[in-house]
Amino acid sequence: MKNLIQRVITGIVFGVVLIGSIICSPFSFGLLFCLISAMATAEFCNLMNRQEGIEINRNLCVLGSTILFLCFFYYGIYPVQTGIFSIYLVVLIYLMIRELYLKKDNPLNNWAYAMLSQIYVGLPFALLNVLAFQDNGAYSAPQYVFIMPLSIFIFIWMNDTFAYFTGMLLGKHRLFERISPKKSWEGSIGGCVFCIGAAFVLAHFFPIMSTGLWVGLALVVVVFGTWGDLTESLMKRFLGIKDSGNILPGHGGLLDRFDSAIMAIPAAVFYLYIVSLF
């Protein structure tokens, strides 16, 4: 019971901070997710450095993720300033060159996991800026549309919550027993149905997209969010750990809380790009 209360309180505080920061202003949004990106990257590096033969520079990887997020954020506000991304390229180049001089036992592992910290953690959070800042044309400044990044988390939370309850009531057929024995097809379908319902609600209150596009976005988030969850479960199973960290009492680490988003965000960006072509 104590752990349940702790989980509920942490979940409420976490949700209020996240929703409030996204809705409040583009700068509160940028500050929060820049911080989350940095802390999640540090958490990832800590996990990797526990493994034999891996010695990646956590501070440098955190710096890389932070700069990448800020580059996308700045580009979202001033889309003509593409040169800012050259700053991030300097970090990537240095991550490669430094291994020439460190004389570590396995530089290939260090290269691989350092780059993975940027691709798996840094890039998805940076891409939130692509959702948040909508271009209104060549002669108009980009507009901050808070519902776009917020919708990703609404769909993820709806899917997780109702997949859990539906799975508890009806779950019989395992979705991916080798990696996550508790997930069921029935739960996934139930979560998907409620997400589609949420898409209709969002389409009514935020008609910036058609109902069909909102439903499509919900389905993309459900599918790729589930894969994101399973991907992190596979990583933790390989590492032999239960949680990625303990920063959120009762919920584990940041990677535990954002596992679905890490894959759903890039997929959502790709989906919106594809539908914009038609």
Side-chain angles (χ1 to χ4, degrees), residues 22 34 39 53 72 101 112 121 131 143 160 188 209 250:
I22 294 175
C34 184
M39 295 175 68
F72 271 90
Y101 301 95
V121 184
L131 297 175
Q143 182 181 4
D160 287 348
S188 294
M209 296 194 302

Side-chain angles (χ1 to χ4, degrees), residues 114-153:
M115 293 304 169
L116 185 59
S117 75
Q118 304 302 293
I119 297 171
Y120 179 65
V121 184
L123 182 59
F125 286 113
L127 287 174
L128 269 176
N129 292 290
V130 178
L131 297 175
F133 296 98
Q134 300 295 311
D135 190 1
N136 292 323
Y139 301 102
S140 301
Q143 182 181 4
Y144 176 66
V145 184
F146 73 84
I147 193 58
M148 293 309 297
L150 182 58
S151 67
I152 304 301
F153 296 104

Side-chain angles (χ1 to χ4, degrees), residues 92-255:
L92 291 186
I93 292 170
Y94 180 67
L95 275 171
M96 299 294 291
I97 293 175
R98 68 189 298 271
E99 291 295 333
L100 295 173
Y101 301 95
L102 293 178
K103 300 178 181 179
K104 300 294 184 180
D105 292 335
N106 198 331
L108 291 180
N109 266 355
N110 297 337
W111 277 332
Y113 285 102
M115 293 304 169
L116 185 59
S117 75
Q118 304 302 293
I119 297 171
Y120 179 65
V121 184
L123 182 59
F125 286 113
L127 287 174
L128 269 176
N129 292 290
V130 178
L131 297 175
F133 296 98
Q134 300 295 311
D135 190 1
N136 292 323
Y139 301 102
S140 301
Q143 182 181 4
Y144 176 66
V145 184
F146 73 84
I147 193 58
M148 293 309 297
L150 182 58
S151 67
I152 304 301
F153 296 104
I154 291 174
F155 291 140
I156 287 173
W157 295 336
M158 292 288 290
N159 184 49
D160 287 348
T161 301
F162 289 101
Y164 173 78
F165 286 115
T166 307
M168 288 279 289
L169 293 173
L170 305 173
K172 293 181 180 180
H173 302 87
R174 298 302 98 185
L175 178 67
F176 221 114
E177 190 168 9
R178 179 173 62 88
I179 296 174
S180 186
K182 294 182 179 180
K183 292 186 183 300
S184 67
W185 278 104
E186 292 81 1
S188 294
I189 293 171
C192 182
V193 169
F194 279 94
C195 280
I196 292 174
F200 278 91
V201 174
L202 289 176
H204 176 75
F205 287 103
F206 301 96
I208 58 175
M209 296 194 302
S210 68
T211 302
L213 291 182
W214 273 114
V215 170
L217 180 60
L219 293 175
V220 167
V221 172
V222 167
V223 172
F224 284 88
T226 301
W227 278 334
D229 188 339
L230 291 170
T231 298
E232 205 237 357
S233 295
L234 177 62
M235 181 181 73
K236 291 192 295 184
R237 184 173 288 271
F238 175 79
L239 296 175
I241 58 175
K242 181 178 182 295
D243 296 318
S244 63
N246 55 13
I247 192 171
L248 299 171
H251 287 262
L254 287 173
L255 294 177

Side-chain angles (χ1 to χ4, degrees), residues 13-30:
V13 173
F14 175 77
V16 168
V17 171
L18 189 145
I19 294 172
S21 297
I22 294 175
I23 293 177
C24 182
S25 75
F27 297 102
S28 60
F29 157 81

Side-chain angles (χ1 to χ4, degrees), residues 59-70:
N59 293 335
L60 193 57
C61 291
V62 168
L63 177 63
S65 291
T66 302
I67 291 175
L68 182 62
F69 183 91
L70 292 176

